[in-house]
Amino acid sequence: MFIQTEATPNPATLKFLPGRAVLEGGTMEFTSRDSAARSPLAVKLFDIPGVTGVFYGSDFVTVTKDDGDWQHLKPAILGTIMEHYMSGGPILADGAQPDAGPHAEEFFNEADAETVTIIKDIIETRVRPAVASDGGDITFRGFKDGIVFLDMKGSCSGCPSSTATLKHGIQNLLKHYVPDVVEVRPM
């Protein structure tokens, strides 16, 4: 088994591609060992000193570290992921489900439904694929008074360039196609 690694815009996060499906649908983010109880692999990754976050996408795992050095952490992470896949164990514990899809807990005024449909289409077709290639995910959460609220996960969460991505990338894109948008904010 060969696992590829890719750098992400977040220097504290690396993307690991096991060459196999990770999650069939949705994403999952674990920000602590306690939250990782739903996934045997995430629990093992949190056992590695320095690991502070684990995120699953459809075909990748991103791991976030504290102040540690990737040179020391990367071999242990690669070994843990390889060992897990070679064992044939499940990614999720029995009964565990991926995080709710992009439509969970949305809020907006029904009068803005048409605008929200356009915003969500742009996010799904143009923004999410680019963010996933960087080891993260971004989903629509709400729209109120011209402000779009987005949820950022994986390598996007806590990334030094995430504010620039939101303000200069996503906000400008949405404002260009949807005149009602005045600002984009993270949740």
Side-chain angles (χ1 to χ4, degrees), residues 47-70:
D47 285 343
I48 300 169
V51 170
T52 61
V54 176
F55 178 81
Y56 296 154
S58 61
D59 64 348
F60 64 89
V61 175
T62 57
V63 177
T64 303
K65 68 174 184 70
D66 59 12
D67 300 343
D69 186 355
W70 281 121

mmCIF file with all atom_site columns, all heavy atoms in Angstrom, residues 47-70:
data_model
loop_
_atom_site.group_PDB
_atom_site.id
_atom_site.type_symbol
_atom_site.label_atom_id
_atom_site.label_alt_id
_atom_site.label_comp_id
_atom_site.label_asym_id
_atom_site.label_entity_id
_atom_site.label_seq_id
_atom_site.pdbx_PDB_ins_code
_atom_site.Cartn_x
_atom_site.Cartn_y
_atom_site.Cartn_z
_atom_site.occupancy
_atom_site.B_iso_or_equiv
_atom_site.pdbx_formal_charge
_atom_site.auth_seq_id
_atom_site.auth_comp_id
_atom_site.auth_asym_id
_atom_site.auth_atom_id
_atom_site.pdbx_PDB_model_num
ATOM 1   N N   . ASP A 1 47 ? -3.612  9.092  19.334 1.00 0.00 ? 47 ASP A N   1
ATOM 2   C CA  . ASP A 1 47 ? -2.635  8.491  20.234 1.00 0.00 ? 47 ASP A CA  1
ATOM 3   C C   . ASP A 1 47 ? -1.214  8.955  19.920 1.00 0.00 ? 47 ASP A C   1
ATOM 4   O O   . ASP A 1 47 ? -0.309  8.797  20.736 1.00 0.00 ? 47 ASP A O   1
ATOM 5   C CB  . ASP A 1 47 ? -2.696  6.956  20.155 1.00 0.00 ? 47 ASP A CB  1
ATOM 6   C CG  . ASP A 1 47 ? -3.908  6.379  20.874 1.00 0.00 ? 47 ASP A CG  1
ATOM 7   O OD1 . ASP A 1 47 ? -4.515  7.103  21.697 1.00 0.00 ? 47 ASP A OD1 1
ATOM 8   O OD2 . ASP A 1 47 ? -4.245  5.205  20.600 1.00 0.00 ? 47 ASP A OD2 1
ATOM 9   N N   . ILE A 1 48 ? -1.005  9.529  18.733 1.00 0.00 ? 48 ILE A N   1
ATOM 10  C CA  . ILE A 1 48 ? 0.313   10.029 18.341 1.00 0.00 ? 48 ILE A CA  1
ATOM 11  C C   . ILE A 1 48 ? 0.503   11.406 18.981 1.00 0.00 ? 48 ILE A C   1
ATOM 12  O O   . ILE A 1 48 ? -0.292  12.318 18.736 1.00 0.00 ? 48 ILE A O   1
ATOM 13  C CB  . ILE A 1 48 ? 0.426   10.127 16.802 1.00 0.00 ? 48 ILE A CB  1
ATOM 14  C CG1 . ILE A 1 48 ? 0.226   8.749  16.165 1.00 0.00 ? 48 ILE A CG1 1
ATOM 15  C CG2 . ILE A 1 48 ? 1.769   10.740 16.405 1.00 0.00 ? 48 ILE A CG2 1
ATOM 16  C CD1 . ILE A 1 48 ? 0.069   8.784  14.660 1.00 0.00 ? 48 ILE A CD1 1
ATOM 17  N N   . PRO A 1 49 ? 1.521   11.558 19.820 1.00 0.00 ? 49 PRO A N   1
ATOM 18  C CA  . PRO A 1 49 ? 1.747   12.860 20.465 1.00 0.00 ? 49 PRO A CA  1
ATOM 19  C C   . PRO A 1 49 ? 1.920   13.968 19.430 1.00 0.00 ? 49 PRO A C   1
ATOM 20  O O   . PRO A 1 49 ? 2.694   13.827 18.485 1.00 0.00 ? 49 PRO A O   1
ATOM 21  C CB  . PRO A 1 49 ? 3.032   12.654 21.261 1.00 0.00 ? 49 PRO A CB  1
ATOM 22  C CG  . PRO A 1 49 ? 3.117   11.169 21.459 1.00 0.00 ? 49 PRO A CG  1
ATOM 23  C CD  . PRO A 1 49 ? 2.504   10.556 20.226 1.00 0.00 ? 49 PRO A CD  1
ATOM 24  N N   . GLY A 1 50 ? 1.175   15.037 19.608 1.00 0.00 ? 50 GLY A N   1
ATOM 25  C CA  . GLY A 1 50 ? 1.262   16.173 18.697 1.00 0.00 ? 50 GLY A CA  1
ATOM 26  C C   . GLY A 1 50 ? 0.075   16.303 17.751 1.00 0.00 ? 50 GLY A C   1
ATOM 27  O O   . GLY A 1 50 ? -0.133  17.362 17.164 1.00 0.00 ? 50 GLY A O   1
ATOM 28  N N   . VAL A 1 51 ? -0.706  15.234 17.580 1.00 0.00 ? 51 VAL A N   1
ATOM 29  C CA  . VAL A 1 51 ? -1.879  15.302 16.699 1.00 0.00 ? 51 VAL A CA  1
ATOM 30  C C   . VAL A 1 51 ? -3.002  16.009 17.448 1.00 0.00 ? 51 VAL A C   1
ATOM 31  O O   . VAL A 1 51 ? -3.357  15.632 18.560 1.00 0.00 ? 51 VAL A O   1
ATOM 32  C CB  . VAL A 1 51 ? -2.322  13.892 16.240 1.00 0.00 ? 51 VAL A CB  1
ATOM 33  C CG1 . VAL A 1 51 ? -3.668  13.945 15.529 1.00 0.00 ? 51 VAL A CG1 1
ATOM 34  C CG2 . VAL A 1 51 ? -1.265  13.280 15.326 1.00 0.00 ? 51 VAL A CG2 1
ATOM 35  N N   . THR A 1 52 ? -3.560  17.058 16.813 1.00 0.00 ? 52 THR A N   1
ATOM 36  C CA  . THR A 1 52 ? -4.628  17.839 17.452 1.00 0.00 ? 52 THR A CA  1
ATOM 37  C C   . THR A 1 52 ? -5.932  17.825 16.663 1.00 0.00 ? 52 THR A C   1
ATOM 38  O O   . THR A 1 52 ? -6.942  18.333 17.143 1.00 0.00 ? 52 THR A O   1
ATOM 39  C CB  . THR A 1 52 ? -4.203  19.304 17.639 1.00 0.00 ? 52 THR A CB  1
ATOM 40  O OG1 . THR A 1 52 ? -3.927  19.876 16.351 1.00 0.00 ? 52 THR A OG1 1
ATOM 41  C CG2 . THR A 1 52 ? -2.986  19.407 18.544 1.00 0.00 ? 52 THR A CG2 1
ATOM 42  N N   . GLY A 1 53 ? -5.925  17.261 15.453 1.00 0.00 ? 53 GLY A N   1
ATOM 43  C CA  . GLY A 1 53 ? -7.149  17.214 14.663 1.00 0.00 ? 53 GLY A CA  1
ATOM 44  C C   . GLY A 1 53 ? -7.054  16.191 13.550 1.00 0.00 ? 53 GLY A C   1
ATOM 45  O O   . GLY A 1 53 ? -5.967  15.934 13.017 1.00 0.00 ? 53 GLY A O   1
ATOM 46  N N   . VAL A 1 54 ? -8.204  15.596 13.217 1.00 0.00 ? 54 VAL A N   1
ATOM 47  C CA  . VAL A 1 54 ? -8.295  14.626 12.128 1.00 0.00 ? 54 VAL A CA  1
ATOM 48  C C   . VAL A 1 54 ? -9.554  14.973 11.337 1.00 0.00 ? 54 VAL A C   1
ATOM 49  O O   . VAL A 1 54 ? -10.605 15.252 11.921 1.00 0.00 ? 54 VAL A O   1
ATOM 50  C CB  . VAL A 1 54 ? -8.390  13.176 12.658 1.00 0.00 ? 54 VAL A CB  1
ATOM 51  C CG1 . VAL A 1 54 ? -8.580  12.189 11.515 1.00 0.00 ? 54 VAL A CG1 1
ATOM 52  C CG2 . VAL A 1 54 ? -7.157  12.820 13.477 1.00 0.00 ? 54 VAL A CG2 1
ATOM 53  N N   . PHE A 1 55 ? -9.441  14.958 10.015 1.00 0.00 ? 55 PHE A N   1
ATOM 54  C CA  . PHE A 1 55 ? -10.576 15.254 9.145  1.00 0.00 ? 55 PHE A CA  1
ATOM 55  C C   . PHE A 1 55 ? -10.621 14.208 8.041  1.00 0.00 ? 55 PHE A C   1
ATOM 56  O O   . PHE A 1 55 ? -9.593  13.883 7.455  1.00 0.00 ? 55 PHE A O   1
ATOM 57  C CB  . PHE A 1 55 ? -10.416 16.652 8.539  1.00 0.00 ? 55 PHE A CB  1
ATOM 58  C CG  . PHE A 1 55 ? -11.508 17.032 7.581  1.00 0.00 ? 55 PHE A CG  1
ATOM 59  C CD1 . PHE A 1 55 ? -12.725 17.495 8.035  1.00 0.00 ? 55 PHE A CD1 1
ATOM 60  C CD2 . PHE A 1 55 ? -11.316 16.916 6.217  1.00 0.00 ? 55 PHE A CD2 1
ATOM 61  C CE1 . PHE A 1 55 ? -13.743 17.846 7.154  1.00 0.00 ? 55 PHE A CE1 1
ATOM 62  C CE2 . PHE A 1 55 ? -12.313 17.258 5.320  1.00 0.00 ? 55 PHE A CE2 1
ATOM 63  C CZ  . PHE A 1 55 ? -13.529 17.728 5.797  1.00 0.00 ? 55 PHE A CZ  1
ATOM 64  N N   . TYR A 1 56 ? -11.816 13.672 7.767  1.00 0.00 ? 56 TYR A N   1
ATOM 65  C CA  . TYR A 1 56 ? -12.001 12.701 6.685  1.00 0.00 ? 56 TYR A CA  1
ATOM 66  C C   . TYR A 1 56 ? -12.793 13.336 5.549  1.00 0.00 ? 56 TYR A C   1
ATOM 67  O O   . TYR A 1 56 ? -13.841 13.937 5.774  1.00 0.00 ? 56 TYR A O   1
ATOM 68  C CB  . TYR A 1 56 ? -12.807 11.492 7.147  1.00 0.00 ? 56 TYR A CB  1
ATOM 69  C CG  . TYR A 1 56 ? -12.178 10.630 8.216  1.00 0.00 ? 56 TYR A CG  1
ATOM 70  C CD1 . TYR A 1 56 ? -12.983 9.878  9.050  1.00 0.00 ? 56 TYR A CD1 1
ATOM 71  C CD2 . TYR A 1 56 ? -10.810 10.541 8.375  1.00 0.00 ? 56 TYR A CD2 1
ATOM 72  C CE1 . TYR A 1 56 ? -12.441 9.053  10.024 1.00 0.00 ? 56 TYR A CE1 1
ATOM 73  C CE2 . TYR A 1 56 ? -10.258 9.719  9.350  1.00 0.00 ? 56 TYR A CE2 1
ATOM 74  C CZ  . TYR A 1 56 ? -11.081 8.985  10.166 1.00 0.00 ? 56 TYR A CZ  1
ATOM 75  O OH  . TYR A 1 56 ? -10.549 8.174  11.135 1.00 0.00 ? 56 TYR A OH  1
ATOM 76  N N   . GLY A 1 57 ? -12.292 13.159 4.338  1.00 0.00 ? 57 GLY A N   1
ATOM 77  C CA  . GLY A 1 57 ? -13.027 13.502 3.126  1.00 0.00 ? 57 GLY A CA  1
ATOM 78  C C   . GLY A 1 57 ? -13.348 12.216 2.397  1.00 0.00 ? 57 GLY A C   1
ATOM 79  O O   . GLY A 1 57 ? -13.181 11.120 2.940  1.00 0.00 ? 57 GLY A O   1
ATOM 80  N N   . SER A 1 58 ? -13.775 12.323 1.160  1.00 0.00 ? 58 SER A N   1
ATOM 81  C CA  . SER A 1 58 ? -14.163 11.117 0.419  1.00 0.00 ? 58 SER A CA  1
ATOM 82  C C   . SER A 1 58 ? -12.979 10.184 0.171  1.00 0.00 ? 58 SER A C   1
ATOM 83  O O   . SER A 1 58 ? -13.122 8.967  0.258  1.00 0.00 ? 58 SER A O   1
ATOM 84  C CB  . SER A 1 58 ? -14.805 11.498 -0.915 1.00 0.00 ? 58 SER A CB  1
ATOM 85  O OG  . SER A 1 58 ? -13.876 12.231 -1.705 1.00 0.00 ? 58 SER A OG  1
ATOM 86  N N   . ASP A 1 59 ? -11.805 10.756 -0.113 1.00 0.00 ? 59 ASP A N   1
ATOM 87  C CA  . ASP A 1 59 ? -10.647 9.915  -0.426 1.00 0.00 ? 59 ASP A CA  1
ATOM 88  C C   . ASP A 1 59 ? -9.366  10.394 0.258  1.00 0.00 ? 59 ASP A C   1
ATOM 89  O O   . ASP A 1 59 ? -8.270  10.097 -0.192 1.00 0.00 ? 59 ASP A O   1
ATOM 90  C CB  . ASP A 1 59 ? -10.437 9.847  -1.942 1.00 0.00 ? 59 ASP A CB  1
ATOM 91  C CG  . ASP A 1 59 ? -10.094 11.198 -2.556 1.00 0.00 ? 59 ASP A CG  1
ATOM 92  O OD1 . ASP A 1 59 ? -10.234 12.236 -1.871 1.00 0.00 ? 59 ASP A OD1 1
ATOM 93  O OD2 . ASP A 1 59 ? -9.684  11.220 -3.733 1.00 0.00 ? 59 ASP A OD2 1
ATOM 94  N N   . PHE A 1 60 ? -9.519  11.138 1.335  1.00 0.00 ? 60 PHE A N   1
ATOM 95  C CA  . PHE A 1 60 ? -8.330  11.642 2.021  1.00 0.00 ? 60 PHE A CA  1
ATOM 96  C C   . PHE A 1 60 ? -8.579  11.788 3.518  1.00 0.00 ? 60 PHE A C   1
ATOM 97  O O   . PHE A 1 60 ? -9.713  11.852 3.986  1.00 0.00 ? 60 PHE A O   1
ATOM 98  C CB  . PHE A 1 60 ? -7.869  12.986 1.435  1.00 0.00 ? 60 PHE A CB  1
ATOM 99  C CG  . PHE A 1 60 ? -8.857  14.111 1.616  1.00 0.00 ? 60 PHE A CG  1
ATOM 100 C CD1 . PHE A 1 60 ? -8.834  14.899 2.753  1.00 0.00 ? 60 PHE A CD1 1
ATOM 101 C CD2 . PHE A 1 60 ? -9.800  14.385 0.636  1.00 0.00 ? 60 PHE A CD2 1
ATOM 102 C CE1 . PHE A 1 60 ? -9.739  15.941 2.926  1.00 0.00 ? 60 PHE A CE1 1
ATOM 103 C CE2 . PHE A 1 60 ? -10.708 15.425 0.796  1.00 0.00 ? 60 PHE A CE2 1
ATOM 104 C CZ  . PHE A 1 60 ? -10.678 16.207 1.944  1.00 0.00 ? 60 PHE A CZ  1
ATOM 105 N N   . VAL A 1 61 ? -7.455  11.846 4.239  1.00 0.00 ? 61 VAL A N   1
ATOM 106 C CA  . VAL A 1 61 ? -7.447  12.118 5.675  1.00 0.00 ? 61 VAL A CA  1
ATOM 107 C C   . VAL A 1 61 ? -6.514  13.306 5.866  1.00 0.00 ? 61 VAL A C   1
ATOM 108 O O   . VAL A 1 61 ? -5.384  13.288 5.366  1.00 0.00 ? 61 VAL A O   1
ATOM 109 C CB  . VAL A 1 61 ? -6.893  10.909 6.474  1.00 0.00 ? 61 VAL A CB  1
ATOM 110 C CG1 . VAL A 1 61 ? -6.778  11.245 7.957  1.00 0.00 ? 61 VAL A CG1 1
ATOM 111 C CG2 . VAL A 1 61 ? -7.724  9.661  6.241  1.00 0.00 ? 61 VAL A CG2 1
ATOM 112 N N   . THR A 1 62 ? -6.978  14.338 6.543  1.00 0.00 ? 62 THR A N   1
ATOM 113 C CA  . THR A 1 62 ? -6.048  15.414 6.891  1.00 0.00 ? 62 THR A CA  1
ATOM 114 C C   . THR A 1 62 ? -5.794  15.338 8.389  1.00 0.00 ? 62 THR A C   1
ATOM 115 O O   . THR A 1 62 ? -6.687  15.034 9.172  1.00 0.00 ? 62 THR A O   1
ATOM 116 C CB  . THR A 1 62 ? -6.542  16.827 6.509  1.00 0.00 ? 62 THR A CB  1
ATOM 117 O OG1 . THR A 1 62 ? -7.787  17.073 7.122  1.00 0.00 ? 62 THR A OG1 1
ATOM 118 C CG2 . THR A 1 62 ? -6.667  16.998 5.026  1.00 0.00 ? 62 THR A CG2 1
ATOM 119 N N   . VAL A 1 63 ? -4.562  15.595 8.747  1.00 0.00 ? 63 VAL A N   1
ATOM 120 C CA  . VAL A 1 63 ? -4.154  15.549 10.148 1.00 0.00 ? 63 VAL A CA  1
ATOM 121 C C   . VAL A 1 63 ? -3.548  16.908 10.494 1.00 0.00 ? 63 VAL A C   1
ATOM 122 O O   . VAL A 1 63 ? -2.716  17.432 9.756  1.00 0.00 ? 63 VAL A O   1
ATOM 123 C CB  . VAL A 1 63 ? -3.139  14.417 10.404 1.00 0.00 ? 63 VAL A CB  1
ATOM 124 C CG1 . VAL A 1 63 ? -2.654  14.426 11.846 1.00 0.00 ? 63 VAL A CG1 1
ATOM 125 C CG2 . VAL A 1 63 ? -3.758  13.064 10.047 1.00 0.00 ? 63 VAL A CG2 1
ATOM 126 N N   . THR A 1 64 ? -3.993  17.434 11.630 1.00 0.00 ? 64 THR A N   1
ATOM 127 C CA  . THR A 1 64 ? -3.498  18.719 12.117 1.00 0.00 ? 64 THR A CA  1
ATOM 128 C C   . THR A 1 64 ? -2.623  18.461 13.339 1.00 0.00 ? 64 THR A C   1
ATOM 129 O O   . THR A 1 64 ? -2.936  17.607 14.165 1.00 0.00 ? 64 THR A O   1
ATOM 130 C CB  . THR A 1 64 ? -4.671  19.649 12.484 1.00 0.00 ? 64 THR A CB  1
ATOM 131 O OG1 . THR A 1 64 ? -5.509  19.790 11.328 1.00 0.00 ? 64 THR A OG1 1
ATOM 132 C CG2 . THR A 1 64 ? -4.176  21.016 12.919 1.00 0.00 ? 64 THR A CG2 1
ATOM 133 N N   . LYS A 1 65 ? -1.536  19.198 13.418 1.00 0.00 ? 65 LYS A N   1
ATOM 134 C CA  . LYS A 1 65 ? -0.567  19.008 14.506 1.00 0.00 ? 65 LYS A CA  1
ATOM 135 C C   . LYS A 1 65 ? -0.469  20.267 15.355 1.00 0.00 ? 65 LYS A C   1
ATOM 136 O O   . LYS A 1 65 ? -0.910  21.342 14.961 1.00 0.00 ? 65 LYS A O   1
ATOM 137 C CB  . LYS A 1 65 ? 0.801   18.674 13.935 1.00 0.00 ? 65 LYS A CB  1
ATOM 138 C CG  . LYS A 1 65 ? 1.430   19.841 13.173 1.00 0.00 ? 65 LYS A CG  1
ATOM 139 C CD  . LYS A 1 65 ? 2.847   19.525 12.750 1.00 0.00 ? 65 LYS A CD  1
ATOM 140 C CE  . LYS A 1 65 ? 3.516   20.692 12.075 1.00 0.00 ? 65 LYS A CE  1
ATOM 141 N NZ  . LYS A 1 65 ? 3.820   21.808 12.950 1.00 0.00 ? 65 LYS A NZ  1
ATOM 142 N N   . ASP A 1 66 ? 0.156   20.098 16.511 1.00 0.00 ? 66 ASP A N   1
ATOM 143 C CA  . ASP A 1 66 ? 0.474   21.254 17.344 1.00 0.00 ? 66 ASP A CA  1
ATOM 144 C C   . ASP A 1 66 ? 1.824   21.809 16.889 1.00 0.00 ? 66 ASP A C   1
ATOM 145 O O   . ASP A 1 66 ? 2.095   21.849 15.704 1.00 0.00 ? 66 ASP A O   1
ATOM 146 C CB  . ASP A 1 66 ? 0.455   20.888 18.834 1.00 0.00 ? 66 ASP A CB  1
ATOM 147 C CG  . ASP A 1 66 ? 1.452   19.776 19.187 1.00 0.00 ? 66 ASP A CG  1
ATOM 148 O OD1 . ASP A 1 66 ? 2.321   19.427 18.354 1.00 0.00 ? 66 ASP A OD1 1
ATOM 149 O OD2 . ASP A 1 66 ? 1.355   19.256 20.312 1.00 0.00 ? 66 ASP A OD2 1
ATOM 150 N N   . ASP A 1 67 ? 2.691   22.149 17.809 1.00 0.00 ? 67 ASP A N   1
ATOM 151 C CA  . ASP A 1 67 ? 3.982   22.731 17.465 1.00 0.00 ? 67 ASP A CA  1
ATOM 152 C C   . ASP A 1 67 ? 5.000   21.722 16.942 1.00 0.00 ? 67 ASP A C   1
ATOM 153 O O   . ASP A 1 67 ? 6.095   22.096 16.548 1.00 0.00 ? 67 ASP A O   1
ATOM 154 C CB  . ASP A 1 67 ? 4.593   23.423 18.692 1.00 0.00 ? 67 ASP A CB  1
ATOM 155 C CG  . ASP A 1 67 ? 3.701   24.533 19.212 1.00 0.00 ? 67 ASP A CG  1
ATOM 156 O OD1 . ASP A 1 67 ? 2.811   24.968 18.461 1.00 0.00 ? 67 ASP A OD1 1
ATOM 157 O OD2 . ASP A 1 67 ? 3.883   24.952 20.364 1.00 0.00 ? 67 ASP A OD2 1
ATOM 158 N N   . GLY A 1 68 ? 4.656   20.443 16.974 1.00 0.00 ? 68 GLY A N   1
ATOM 159 C CA  . GLY A 1 68 ? 5.597   19.403 16.572 1.00 0.00 ? 68 GLY A CA  1
ATOM 160 C C   . GLY A 1 68 ? 6.078   19.556 15.144 1.00 0.00 ? 68 GLY A C   1
ATOM 161 O O   . GLY A 1 68 ? 5.543   20.329 14.355 1.00 0.00 ? 68 GLY A O   1
ATOM 162 N N   . ASP A 1 69 ? 7.090   18.786 14.818 1.00 0.00 ? 69 ASP A N   1
ATOM 163 C CA  . ASP A 1 69 ? 7.726   18.828 13.509 1.00 0.00 ? 69 ASP A CA  1
ATOM 164 C C   . ASP A 1 69 ? 7.167   17.705 12.637 1.00 0.00 ? 69 ASP A C   1
ATOM 165 O O   . ASP A 1 69 ? 7.116   16.545 13.054 1.00 0.00 ? 69 ASP A O   1
ATOM 166 C CB  . ASP A 1 69 ? 9.236   18.661 13.706 1.00 0.00 ? 69 ASP A CB  1
ATOM 167 C CG  . ASP A 1 69 ? 10.029  18.822 12.433 1.00 0.00 ? 69 ASP A CG  1
ATOM 168 O OD1 . ASP A 1 69 ? 9.430   18.970 11.348 1.00 0.00 ? 69 ASP A OD1 1
ATOM 169 O OD2 . ASP A 1 69 ? 11.275  18.798 12.520 1.00 0.00 ? 69 ASP A OD2 1
ATOM 170 N N   . TRP A 1 70 ? 6.760   18.038 11.399 1.00 0.00 ? 70 TRP A N   1
ATOM 171 C CA  . TRP A 1 70 ? 6.233   17.010 10.493 1.00 0.00 ? 70 TRP A CA  1
ATOM 172 C C   . TRP A 1 70 ? 7.250   15.895 10.249 1.00 0.00 ? 70 TRP A C   1
ATOM 173 O O   . TRP A 1 70 ? 6.872   14.750 10.034 1.00 0.00 ? 70 TRP A O   1
ATOM 174 C CB  . TRP A 1 70 ? 5.813   17.635 9.155  1.00 0.00 ? 70 TRP A CB  1
ATOM 175 C CG  . TRP A 1 70 ? 4.482   18.314 9.212  1.00 0.00 ? 70 TRP A CG  1
ATOM 176 C CD1 . TRP A 1 70 ? 4.216   19.619 8.946  1.00 0.00 ? 70 TRP A CD1 1
ATOM 177 C CD2 . TRP A 1 70 ? 3.227   17.727 9.569  1.00 0.00 ? 70 TRP A CD2 1
ATOM 178 N NE1 . TRP A 1 70 ? 2.873   19.873 9.123  1.00 0.00 ? 70 TRP A NE1 1
ATOM 179 C CE2 . TRP A 1 70 ? 2.244   18.721 9.499  1.00 0.00 ? 70 TRP A CE2 1
ATOM 180 C CE3 . TRP A 1 70 ? 2.835   16.438 9.950  1.00 0.00 ? 70 TRP A CE3 1
ATOM 181 C CZ2 . TRP A 1 70 ? 0.905   18.486 9.786  1.00 0.00 ? 70 TRP A CZ2 1
ATOM 182 C CZ3 . TRP A 1 70 ? 1.495   16.197 10.235 1.00 0.00 ? 70 TRP A CZ3 1
ATOM 183 C CH2 . TRP A 1 70 ? 0.550   17.215 10.154 1.00 0.00 ? 70 TRP A CH2 1
#
